[in-house]
Amino acid sequence: MIRLENISKWYPTKSGRHYIFKNIDFQIPMDKNIGVLGRNGAGKSTFIRMLGGSEYPSSGNIISDLRISWPLGLQGGIQGSMTGRENARFVARIHGIKNTCQMEAKVEEFAEIGSYFDEPMKSYSSGMRSRVLLGITIALDFDFDVLLIDEITAVGDAKFKNKAATLLKKRFASTRIVMVNHSISQLKNFCSAGLVIHNGGLKYFENIDDAISYYGNAS
Amino acid sequence: MIERRPTRSSLQIMRDTVYALFIRELRTRFGGSRLGYFWAIAEPAGQAAVLTTIFSLMGRTSLSGVEIPVLMLVGLVPFKLFTKLISQLSNAVLSNKGLMAYRQVEPIDPIITRLLIELATMAIVFVTLMFSMYWFLGYKVTPVSLPGVLLAIFLLMALAVGIALILCVLFEYFPDMSKVVGVIMTPMMIVSGVFFSASMVPTQYWGLLDWNPAFHCLELIRESYFYGYDPGFSSLEFVVKVVIIADFIGMLLFVSYRTKLVSS
């Protein structure tokens, strides 16, 4: 379970504070995979970044004793000037892994991007980036209770998507995911519960179909 | 069943993160070629050697028994550390912003990393240059009081850290500030007494220089380094006070704005 205690999140704009969330108390049960729905700009990515500790709420606390991954997305967490291998090593080291060779090999094997693995990541296509990023989490052996996924499975070719889906599903027994994705079919494929972000509020649905129809009516 | 890694304390996480950043920083800074590590030392050493030669040629060859090149280096290398720390540390958070996406990486980590790198570089450069002056030119290069020298260098470093922490927060809100700082730092080499000491300046002009804690620090370093060196107006008490104020404001700002430094 992840508890949001009276959190607010705002960004400064020219016309004053723009609130994404205001004084929200909420409990997210983490017994199911959750698909996050919301319009563009509703705060889906902000929400997932706050869960992942990449960003702090403006006030309030997020409390959980689960191991939550960083948000696997197309932005952030990657240093473009470093190669895929160096990024993999970096992530291994901050997670306390001393011997990084094994980890590098696993990422290389999963990513299947050949010699590009030793090129700076700024030269990668978005598909290649997501291959490496997903490879890194898989190489960490899914040492997380909760995996945060921000659109990462939305890019890449069909073969990669299949591979990612198979792997993610295989791990469902021990790992829950929270996923942002604009493709409803992708969400339905991975998630059984839904969370709708609408007008600065959160609404949780046990069934993803209810969330989808609520979201359809609300927007 | 997945085997879990053991839980780490926040200190262990910090240590692991600083280690990861350290390697990363070394790679991006010097890693382009094998010569990179050589240049890391050779570049500042070369700069110091050139400046020392020029200023030595302009003046006398010795001052109350101290060889001029030694005198110059003892001022120049710590001063380079001072300016390098300010520029490197004040940009540390901004240039590592992408990595803050990982919860393990806190804004203070890149600061610690760069502090370690600059200190290590300075120490190697200093010892290398001093040793070569002793070996090839036969100069006397050992300090009178090593603890005194280290204390003064520590104060200079603490001053730079305090200033850099303040700048970190300022840069976040006013990115143009970095240009202002560049303009201010340019004449610092002259007004910090890298190539002259306060005792060479007529006392009626001391008021133009004695506000500068960096000048005080350099004089304190030389006072501990050379026998019978006249430290002019330098005052340990003044330096300690400025350092405490700068570090206090720096840490206060940095801690209060910590969460804002994380988000991009």
Side-chain angles (χ1 to χ4, degrees):
Chain A
M1 179 152 56
I2 303 174
R3 272 190 9 241
L4 312 181
E5 289 188 345
N6 197 23
I7 64 156
S8 295
K9 179 72 187 177
W10 50 266
Y11 289 108
T13 61
K14 287 195 186 80
S15 52
R17 290 179 177 182
H18 173 66
Y19 276 91
I20 308 279
F21 301 108
K22 205 165 185 176
N23 304 326
I24 290 189
D25 274 302
F26 201 79
Q27 297 200 343
I28 311 168
M30 283 310 315
D31 54 343
K32 289 178 179 166
N33 292 321
I34 302 174
V36 182
L37 293 135
R39 295 171 45 193
N40 288 333
K44 299 184 295 294
S45 290
T46 304
F47 175 71
I48 227 168
R49 287 169 57 78
M50 288 197 300
L51 292 187
S54 297
E55 203 159 325
Y56 289 86
S58 305
S59 65
N61 291 307
I62 297 176
I63 296 169
S64 177
D65 53 11
L66 301 173
R67 294 185 186 214
I68 305 175
S69 79
W70 73 94
L72 299 175
L74 295 175
Q75 301 130 16
I78 286 297
Q79 195 81 18
S81 58
M82 296 192 322
T83 67
R85 187 185 302 279
E86 285 165 346
N87 273 292
R89 272 191 207 146
F90 180 83
V91 176
R93 288 194 182 114
I94 60 172
H95 284 85
I97 298 168
K98 293 283 177 301
N99 185 0
T100 58
C101 291
Q102 211 186 350
M103 158 117 183
E104 282 165 44
K106 273 190 198 166
V107 181
E108 193 171 7
E109 192 194 318
F110 178 83
E112 292 179 38
I113 55 169
S115 58
Y116 259 91
F117 195 53
D118 287 306
E119 293 293 321
M121 280 190 80
K122 60 185 167 213
S123 64
Y124 287 21
S125 72
S126 54
M128 289 157 81
R129 281 170 80 95
S130 59
R131 279 165 178 261
V132 170
L133 266 169
L134 207 57
I136 289 173
T137 39
I138 283 156
L140 281 174
D141 250 342
F142 278 91
D143 197 5
F144 302 109
D145 301 311
V146 180
L147 206 56
L148 305 173
I149 299 179
D150 189 355
E151 301 272 7
I152 195 175
T153 53
V155 292
D157 47 36
K159 190 172 158 242
F160 169 69
K161 279 185 189 168
N162 274 334
K163 189 172 167 183
T166 323
L167 260 159
L168 287 174
K169 286 195 166 158
K170 223 164 78 186
R171 300 289 188 167
F172 277 177
S174 53
T175 308
R176 296 281 164 262
I177 64 176
V178 177
M179 178 184 255
V180 171
N181 205 312
H182 277 106
S183 145
I184 298 287
S185 65
Q186 282 257 6
L187 284 180
K188 280 176 107 166
N189 188 8
F190 287 108
C191 310
S192 52
L195 189 74
V196 180
I197 303 179
H198 183 59
N199 285 340
L202 297 174
K203 210 162 159 63
Y204 179 80
F205 295 88
E206 291 277 338
N207 190 324
I208 182 85
D209 292 318
D210 296 342
I212 292 168
S213 62
Y214 175 84
Y215 168 63
N217 293 333
S219 55
Chain B
M1 191 60 211
I2 296 159
E3 199 186 316
R4 301 197 132 217
R5 277 174 282 117
T7 318
R8 292 173 294 165
S9 72
S10 38
L11 207 66
Q12 283 170 317
I13 293 174
M14 186 185 238
R15 194 199 55 200
D16 289 341
T17 305
V18 168
Y19 172 70
L21 286 169
F22 192 88
I23 304 280
R24 188 198 87 80
E25 194 95 2
L26 286 184
R27 290 279 304 150
T28 43
R29 238 196 266 187
F30 316 122
S33 63
R34 270 181 207 286
L35 275 177
Y37 294 96
F38 164 75
W39 282 119
I41 306 301
E43 194 213 340
Q47 278 181 346
V50 169
L51 284 169
T52 306
T53 314
I54 292 172
F55 280 86
S56 308
L57 291 174
M58 283 163 62
R60 290 171 292 181
T61 51
S62 83
L63 189 76
S64 57
V66 182
E67 307 288 352
I68 292 291
V70 181
L71 189 70
M72 295 293 171
L73 270 190
V74 167
L76 183 65
V77 178
F79 180 76
K80 289 292 271 182
L81 172 74
F82 177 70
T83 50
K84 204 74 194 298
L85 278 179
I86 291 181
S87 63
Q88 284 292 324
L89 300 194
S90 59
N91 285 305
V93 177
L94 273 181
S95 42
N96 283 288
K97 198 126 253 193
L99 299 174
M100 306 276 165
Y102 301 104
R103 85 179 64 233
Q104 290 86 353
V105 186
E106 289 283 339
I108 195 67
D109 297 327
I111 304 241
I112 296 173
T113 308
R114 289 193 168 182
L115 181 63
L116 291 175
I117 290 178
E118 294 306 331
L119 280 178
T121 311
M122 199 269 319
I124 296 171
V125 166
F126 193 75
V127 171
T128 311
L129 285 175
M130 283 301 178
F131 185 77
S132 15
M133 292 223 281
Y134 161 75
W135 192 255
F136 297 112
L137 302 169
Y139 291 162
K140 185 183 175 306
V141 294
T142 45
V144 173
S145 158
L146 186 60
V149 172
L150 292 179
L151 172 69
I153 291 178
F154 172 79
L155 288 171
L156 192 62
M157 182 203 81
L159 180 68
V161 170
I163 295 171
L165 288 179
I166 298 170
L167 291 179
C168 261
V169 177
L170 283 181
F171 286 177
E172 186 71 22
Y173 288 90
F174 314 103
D176 291 349
M177 276 291 293
S178 59
K179 293 178 181 66
V180 180
V181 172
V183 172
I184 295 172
M185 290 308 282
T186 313
M188 272 303 274
M189 190 181 245
I190 298 161
V191 298
S192 296
V194 177
F195 301 116
F196 62 93
S197 59
S199 61
M200 297 176 185
V201 179
T203 42
Q204 67 260 36
Y205 297 122
W206 279 11
L208 295 172
L209 301 167
D210 65 2
W211 55 270
N212 181 356
F215 201 141
H216 286 254
C217 283
L218 293 189
E219 290 283 69
L220 290 171
I221 294 171
R222 290 188 285 236
E223 188 189 5
S224 297
Y225 214 102
F226 305 114
Y227 183 74
Y229 183 85
D230 175 7
F233 54 70
S234 73
S235 146
L236 183 64
E237 194 194 330
F238 173 73
V239 175
V240 171
K241 274 182 189 160
V242 175
V243 165
I244 290 174
I245 293 169
D247 281 345
F248 179 75
I249 298 175
M251 284 176 195
L252 195 69
L253 275 177
F254 199 80
V255 171
S256 338
Y257 285 88
R258 187 181 66 95
T259 59
K260 304 220 169 42
L261 293 174
V262 171
S263 38
S264 42

PDB file of all heavy atoms in Angstrom, chain B residues 82-106:
ATOM      1  N   PHE B  82      40.221  27.068  -5.115  1.00  0.00           N
ATOM      2  CA  PHE B  82      39.117  27.930  -4.683  1.00  0.00           C
ATOM      3  C   PHE B  82      38.187  28.255  -5.862  1.00  0.00           C
ATOM      4  O   PHE B  82      36.977  28.017  -5.794  1.00  0.00           O
ATOM      5  CB  PHE B  82      39.714  29.207  -4.077  1.00  0.00           C
ATOM      6  CG  PHE B  82      38.696  30.224  -3.645  1.00  0.00           C
ATOM      7  CD1 PHE B  82      37.877  29.999  -2.558  1.00  0.00           C
ATOM      8  CD2 PHE B  82      38.582  31.426  -4.327  1.00  0.00           C
ATOM      9  CE1 PHE B  82      36.956  30.946  -2.147  1.00  0.00           C
ATOM     10  CE2 PHE B  82      37.664  32.382  -3.929  1.00  0.00           C
ATOM     11  CZ  PHE B  82      36.842  32.142  -2.842  1.00  0.00           C
ATOM     12  N   THR B  83      38.736  28.753  -6.958  1.00  0.00           N
ATOM     13  CA  THR B  83      37.879  29.151  -8.089  1.00  0.00           C
ATOM     14  C   THR B  83      37.267  27.925  -8.763  1.00  0.00           C
ATOM     15  O   THR B  83      36.111  27.939  -9.172  1.00  0.00           O
ATOM     16  CB  THR B  83      38.668  29.956  -9.137  1.00  0.00           C
ATOM     17  OG1 THR B  83      39.857  29.244  -9.454  1.00  0.00           O
ATOM     18  CG2 THR B  83      39.034  31.317  -8.612  1.00  0.00           C
ATOM     19  N   LYS B  84      38.053  26.865  -8.865  1.00  0.00           N
ATOM     20  CA  LYS B  84      37.554  25.643  -9.499  1.00  0.00           C
ATOM     21  C   LYS B  84      36.386  25.060  -8.699  1.00  0.00           C
ATOM     22  O   LYS B  84      35.382  24.636  -9.269  1.00  0.00           O
ATOM     23  CB  LYS B  84      38.705  24.641  -9.586  1.00  0.00           C
ATOM     24  CG  LYS B  84      38.601  23.576 -10.647  1.00  0.00           C
ATOM     25  CD  LYS B  84      38.854  24.116 -12.044  1.00  0.00           C
ATOM     26  CE  LYS B  84      38.403  23.126 -13.113  1.00  0.00           C
ATOM     27  NZ  LYS B  84      39.123  21.854 -13.083  1.00  0.00           N
ATOM     28  N   LEU B  85      36.523  25.064  -7.374  1.00  0.00           N
ATOM     29  CA  LEU B  85      35.446  24.543  -6.529  1.00  0.00           C
ATOM     30  C   LEU B  85      34.179  25.356  -6.720  1.00  0.00           C
ATOM     31  O   LEU B  85      33.086  24.809  -6.858  1.00  0.00           O
ATOM     32  CB  LEU B  85      35.858  24.572  -5.054  1.00  0.00           C
ATOM     33  CG  LEU B  85      36.711  23.422  -4.536  1.00  0.00           C
ATOM     34  CD1 LEU B  85      37.035  23.635  -3.071  1.00  0.00           C
ATOM     35  CD2 LEU B  85      35.997  22.091  -4.740  1.00  0.00           C
ATOM     36  N   ILE B  86      34.318  26.686  -6.744  1.00  0.00           N
ATOM     37  CA  ILE B  86      33.128  27.521  -6.895  1.00  0.00           C
ATOM     38  C   ILE B  86      32.440  27.213  -8.225  1.00  0.00           C
ATOM     39  O   ILE B  86      31.229  26.984  -8.268  1.00  0.00           O
ATOM     40  CB  ILE B  86      33.483  29.015  -6.776  1.00  0.00           C
ATOM     41  CG1 ILE B  86      33.878  29.314  -5.333  1.00  0.00           C
ATOM     42  CG2 ILE B  86      32.309  29.895  -7.199  1.00  0.00           C
ATOM     43  CD1 ILE B  86      34.222  30.743  -5.059  1.00  0.00           C
ATOM     44  N   SER B  87      33.214  27.157  -9.314  1.00  0.00           N
ATOM     45  CA  SER B  87      32.551  26.940 -10.611  1.00  0.00           C
ATOM     46  C   SER B  87      32.017  25.515 -10.740  1.00  0.00           C
ATOM     47  O   SER B  87      30.914  25.294 -11.234  1.00  0.00           O
ATOM     48  CB  SER B  87      33.505  27.271 -11.765  1.00  0.00           C
ATOM     49  OG  SER B  87      34.614  26.414 -11.736  1.00  0.00           O
ATOM     50  N   GLN B  88      32.781  24.534 -10.265  1.00  0.00           N
ATOM     51  CA  GLN B  88      32.340  23.139 -10.411  1.00  0.00           C
ATOM     52  C   GLN B  88      31.153  22.805  -9.497  1.00  0.00           C
ATOM     53  O   GLN B  88      30.192  22.175  -9.914  1.00  0.00           O
ATOM     54  CB  GLN B  88      33.495  22.182 -10.105  1.00  0.00           C
ATOM     55  CG  GLN B  88      34.525  22.078 -11.196  1.00  0.00           C
ATOM     56  CD  GLN B  88      33.992  21.411 -12.435  1.00  0.00           C
ATOM     57  OE1 GLN B  88      33.192  20.495 -12.371  1.00  0.00           O
ATOM     58  NE2 GLN B  88      34.416  21.888 -13.596  1.00  0.00           N
ATOM     59  N   LEU B  89      31.243  23.221  -8.232  1.00  0.00           N
ATOM     60  CA  LEU B  89      30.192  22.853  -7.278  1.00  0.00           C
ATOM     61  C   LEU B  89      28.895  23.596  -7.552  1.00  0.00           C
ATOM     62  O   LEU B  89      27.809  23.053  -7.401  1.00  0.00           O
ATOM     63  CB  LEU B  89      30.630  23.114  -5.832  1.00  0.00           C
ATOM     64  CG  LEU B  89      31.856  22.381  -5.304  1.00  0.00           C
ATOM     65  CD1 LEU B  89      31.938  22.503  -3.798  1.00  0.00           C
ATOM     66  CD2 LEU B  89      31.839  20.929  -5.700  1.00  0.00           C
ATOM     67  N   SER B  90      29.006  24.877  -7.977  1.00  0.00           N
ATOM     68  CA  SER B  90      27.770  25.635  -8.161  1.00  0.00           C
ATOM     69  C   SER B  90      26.965  25.090  -9.344  1.00  0.00           C
ATOM     70  O   SER B  90      25.766  25.292  -9.418  1.00  0.00           O
ATOM     71  CB  SER B  90      28.067  27.122  -8.345  1.00  0.00           C
ATOM     72  OG  SER B  90      28.900  27.312  -9.453  1.00  0.00           O
ATOM     73  N   ASN B  91      27.639  24.406 -10.270  1.00  0.00           N
ATOM     74  CA  ASN B  91      26.917  23.811 -11.403  1.00  0.00           C
ATOM     75  C   ASN B  91      26.644  22.323 -11.219  1.00  0.00           C
ATOM     76  O   ASN B  91      26.089  21.681 -12.115  1.00  0.00           O
ATOM     77  CB  ASN B  91      27.706  24.018 -12.695  1.00  0.00           C
ATOM     78  CG  ASN B  91      27.594  25.449 -13.168  1.00  0.00           C
ATOM     79  OD1 ASN B  91      26.504  25.949 -13.352  1.00  0.00           O
ATOM     80  ND2 ASN B  91      28.721  26.114 -13.327  1.00  0.00           N
ATOM     81  N   ALA B  92      27.066  21.776 -10.085  1.00  0.00           N
ATOM     82  CA  ALA B  92      26.986  20.320  -9.900  1.00  0.00           C
ATOM     83  C   ALA B  92      25.551  19.811  -9.986  1.00  0.00           C
ATOM     84  O   ALA B  92      25.280  18.800 -10.629  1.00  0.00           O
ATOM     85  CB  ALA B  92      27.607  19.928  -8.564  1.00  0.00           C
ATOM     86  N   VAL B  93      24.628  20.529  -9.365  1.00  0.00           N
ATOM     87  CA  VAL B  93      23.245  20.038  -9.332  1.00  0.00           C
ATOM     88  C   VAL B  93      22.617  20.146 -10.719  1.00  0.00           C
ATOM     89  O   VAL B  93      22.024  19.195 -11.221  1.00  0.00           O
ATOM     90  CB  VAL B  93      22.418  20.818  -8.297  1.00  0.00           C
ATOM     91  CG1 VAL B  93      20.975  20.351  -8.313  1.00  0.00           C
ATOM     92  CG2 VAL B  93      22.997  20.623  -6.904  1.00  0.00           C
ATOM     93  N   LEU B  94      22.793  21.318 -11.349  1.00  0.00           N
ATOM     94  CA  LEU B  94      22.184  21.524 -12.665  1.00  0.00           C
ATOM     95  C   LEU B  94      22.672  20.496 -13.672  1.00  0.00           C
ATOM     96  O   LEU B  94      21.891  19.947 -14.442  1.00  0.00           O
ATOM     97  CB  LEU B  94      22.505  22.934 -13.179  1.00  0.00           C
ATOM     98  CG  LEU B  94      21.556  24.040 -12.751  1.00  0.00           C
ATOM     99  CD1 LEU B  94      21.979  25.370 -13.348  1.00  0.00           C
ATOM    100  CD2 LEU B  94      20.126  23.716 -13.191  1.00  0.00           C
ATOM    101  N   SER B  95      23.979  20.197 -13.659  1.00  0.00           N
ATOM    102  CA  SER B  95      24.481  19.316 -14.703  1.00  0.00           C
ATOM    103  C   SER B  95      24.225  17.845 -14.390  1.00  0.00           C
ATOM    104  O   SER B  95      24.506  16.991 -15.223  1.00  0.00           O
ATOM    105  CB  SER B  95      25.961  19.577 -14.980  1.00  0.00           C
ATOM    106  OG  SER B  95      26.672  19.755 -13.806  1.00  0.00           O
ATOM    107  N   ASN B  96      23.701  17.540 -13.210  1.00  0.00           N
ATOM    108  CA  ASN B  96      23.357  16.143 -12.915  1.00  0.00           C
ATOM    109  C   ASN B  96      21.862  15.949 -12.736  1.00  0.00           C
ATOM    110  O   ASN B  96      21.409  14.955 -12.181  1.00  0.00           O
ATOM    111  CB  ASN B  96      24.084  15.664 -11.658  1.00  0.00           C
ATOM    112  CG  ASN B  96      25.535  15.361 -11.935  1.00  0.00           C
ATOM    113  OD1 ASN B  96      25.856  14.375 -12.591  1.00  0.00           O
ATOM    114  ND2 ASN B  96      26.416  16.219 -11.498  1.00  0.00           N
ATOM    115  N   LYS B  97      21.108  16.945 -13.202  1.00  0.00           N
ATOM    116  CA  LYS B  97      19.666  16.944 -12.981  1.00  0.00           C
ATOM    117  C   LYS B  97      19.001  15.658 -13.478  1.00  0.00           C
ATOM    118  O   LYS B  97      18.141  15.100 -12.807  1.00  0.00           O
ATOM    119  CB  LYS B  97      19.065  18.147 -13.705  1.00  0.00           C
ATOM    120  CG  LYS B  97      17.707  18.483 -13.206  1.00  0.00           C
ATOM    121  CD  LYS B  97      17.626  19.921 -12.796  1.00  0.00           C
ATOM    122  CE  LYS B  97      17.577  20.103 -11.334  1.00  0.00           C
ATOM    123  NZ  LYS B  97      17.209  21.461 -10.990  1.00  0.00           N
ATOM    124  N   GLY B  98      19.420  15.186 -14.651  1.00  0.00           N
ATOM    125  CA  GLY B  98      18.802  13.996 -15.225  1.00  0.00           C
ATOM    126  C   GLY B  98      18.868  12.807 -14.286  1.00  0.00           C
ATOM    127  O   GLY B  98      17.968  11.971 -14.258  1.00  0.00           O
ATOM    128  N   LEU B  99      19.948  12.745 -13.504  1.00  0.00           N
ATOM    129  CA  LEU B  99      20.145  11.582 -12.641  1.00  0.00           C
ATOM    130  C   LEU B  99      19.356  11.668 -11.338  1.00  0.00           C
ATOM    131  O   LEU B  99      19.255  10.700 -10.604  1.00  0.00           O
ATOM    132  CB  LEU B  99      21.635  11.404 -12.340  1.00  0.00           C
ATOM    133  CG  LEU B  99      22.471  11.164 -13.591  1.00  0.00           C
ATOM    134  CD1 LEU B  99      23.941  11.134 -13.259  1.00  0.00           C
ATOM    135  CD2 LEU B  99      22.070   9.867 -14.276  1.00  0.00           C
ATOM    136  N   MET B 100      18.799  12.858 -11.052  1.00  0.00           N
ATOM    137  CA  MET B 100      17.978  12.999  -9.842  1.00  0.00           C
ATOM    138  C   MET B 100      16.687  12.202  -9.977  1.00  0.00           C
ATOM    139  O   MET B 100      15.939  12.076  -9.009  1.00  0.00           O
ATOM    140  CB  MET B 100      17.621  14.461  -9.573  1.00  0.00           C
ATOM    141  CG  MET B 100      18.793  15.392  -9.513  1.00  0.00           C
ATOM    142  SD  MET B 100      19.571  15.438  -7.916  1.00  0.00           S
ATOM    143  CE  MET B 100      21.097  16.238  -8.356  1.00  0.00           C
ATOM    144  N   ALA B 101      16.397  11.719 -11.183  1.00  0.00           N
ATOM    145  CA  ALA B 101      15.213  10.888 -11.361  1.00  0.00           C
ATOM    146  C   ALA B 101      15.295   9.640 -10.487  1.00  0.00           C
ATOM    147  O   ALA B 101      14.270   9.081 -10.127  1.00  0.00           O
ATOM    148  CB  ALA B 101      15.072  10.493 -12.823  1.00  0.00           C
ATOM    149  N   TYR B 102      16.505   9.216 -10.170  1.00  0.00           N
ATOM    150  CA  TYR B 102      16.645   8.083  -9.254  1.00  0.00           C
ATOM    151  C   TYR B 102      16.549   8.590  -7.828  1.00  0.00           C
ATOM    152  O   TYR B 102      17.233   9.552  -7.467  1.00  0.00           O
ATOM    153  CB  TYR B 102      17.997   7.400  -9.462  1.00  0.00           C
ATOM    154  CG  TYR B 102      18.184   6.907 -10.858  1.00  0.00           C
ATOM    155  CD1 TYR B 102      19.003   7.573 -11.753  1.00  0.00           C
ATOM    156  CD2 TYR B 102      17.512   5.778 -11.297  1.00  0.00           C
ATOM    157  CE1 TYR B 102      19.153   7.124 -13.046  1.00  0.00           C
ATOM    158  CE2 TYR B 102      17.660   5.323 -12.585  1.00  0.00           C
ATOM    159  CZ  TYR B 102      18.478   5.996 -13.465  1.00  0.00           C
ATOM    160  OH  TYR B 102      18.622   5.562 -14.737  1.00  0.00           O
ATOM    161  N   ARG B 103      15.721   7.939  -7.042  1.00  0.00           N
ATOM    162  CA  ARG B 103      15.521   8.450  -5.682  1.00  0.00           C
ATOM    163  C   ARG B 103      16.804   8.384  -4.876  1.00  0.00           C
ATOM    164  O   ARG B 103      16.985   9.130  -3.935  1.00  0.00           O
ATOM    165  CB  ARG B 103      14.407   7.664  -4.990  1.00  0.00           C
ATOM    166  CG  ARG B 103      14.890   6.386  -4.336  1.00  0.00           C
ATOM    167  CD  ARG B 103      13.793   5.634  -3.652  1.00  0.00           C
ATOM    168  NE  ARG B 103      12.797   5.187  -4.630  1.00  0.00           N
ATOM    169  CZ  ARG B 103      11.512   5.427  -4.520  1.00  0.00           C
ATOM    170  NH1 ARG B 103      11.062   6.104  -3.503  1.00  0.00           N
ATOM    171  NH2 ARG B 103      10.674   4.988  -5.409  1.00  0.00           N
ATOM    172  N   GLN B 104      17.718   7.492  -5.256  1.00  0.00           N
ATOM    173  CA  GLN B 104      18.968   7.375  -4.501  1.00  0.00           C
ATOM    174  C   GLN B 104      19.834   8.621  -4.644  1.00  0.00           C
ATOM    175  O   GLN B 104      20.664   8.911  -3.789  1.00  0.00           O
ATOM    176  CB  GLN B 104      19.779   6.165  -5.006  1.00  0.00           C
ATOM    177  CG  GLN B 104      19.184   4.826  -4.674  1.00  0.00           C
ATOM    178  CD  GLN B 104      18.157   4.368  -5.694  1.00  0.00           C
ATOM    179  OE1 GLN B 104      17.782   5.105  -6.600  1.00  0.00           O
ATOM    180  NE2 GLN B 104      17.693   3.147  -5.550  1.00  0.00           N
ATOM    181  N   VAL B 105      19.678   9.326  -5.779  1.00  0.00           N
ATOM    182  CA  VAL B 105      20.547  10.471  -6.045  1.00  0.00           C
ATOM    183  C   VAL B 105      19.924  11.735  -5.458  1.00  0.00           C
ATOM    184  O   VAL B 105      18.871  12.173  -5.881  1.00  0.00           O
ATOM    185  CB  VAL B 105      20.779  10.634  -7.564  1.00  0.00           C
ATOM    186  CG1 VAL B 105      21.786  11.731  -7.831  1.00  0.00           C
ATOM    187  CG2 VAL B 105      21.254   9.322  -8.162  1.00  0.00           C
ATOM    188  N   GLU B 106      20.585  12.282  -4.451  1.00  0.00           N
ATOM    189  CA  GLU B 106      20.134  13.516  -3.815  1.00  0.00           C
ATOM    190  C   GLU B 106      21.011  14.659  -4.318  1.00  0.00           C
ATOM    191  O   GLU B 106      22.155  14.437  -4.725  1.00  0.00           O
ATOM    192  CB  GLU B 106      20.284  13.382  -2.289  1.00  0.00           C
ATOM    193  CG  GLU B 106      19.307  12.430  -1.650  1.00  0.00           C
ATOM    194  CD  GLU B 106      17.914  13.046  -1.502  1.00  0.00           C
ATOM    195  OE1 GLU B 106      17.813  14.289  -1.514  1.00  0.00           O
ATOM    196  OE2 GLU B 106      16.947  12.278  -1.388  1.00  0.00           O
TER     197      GLU B 106
END
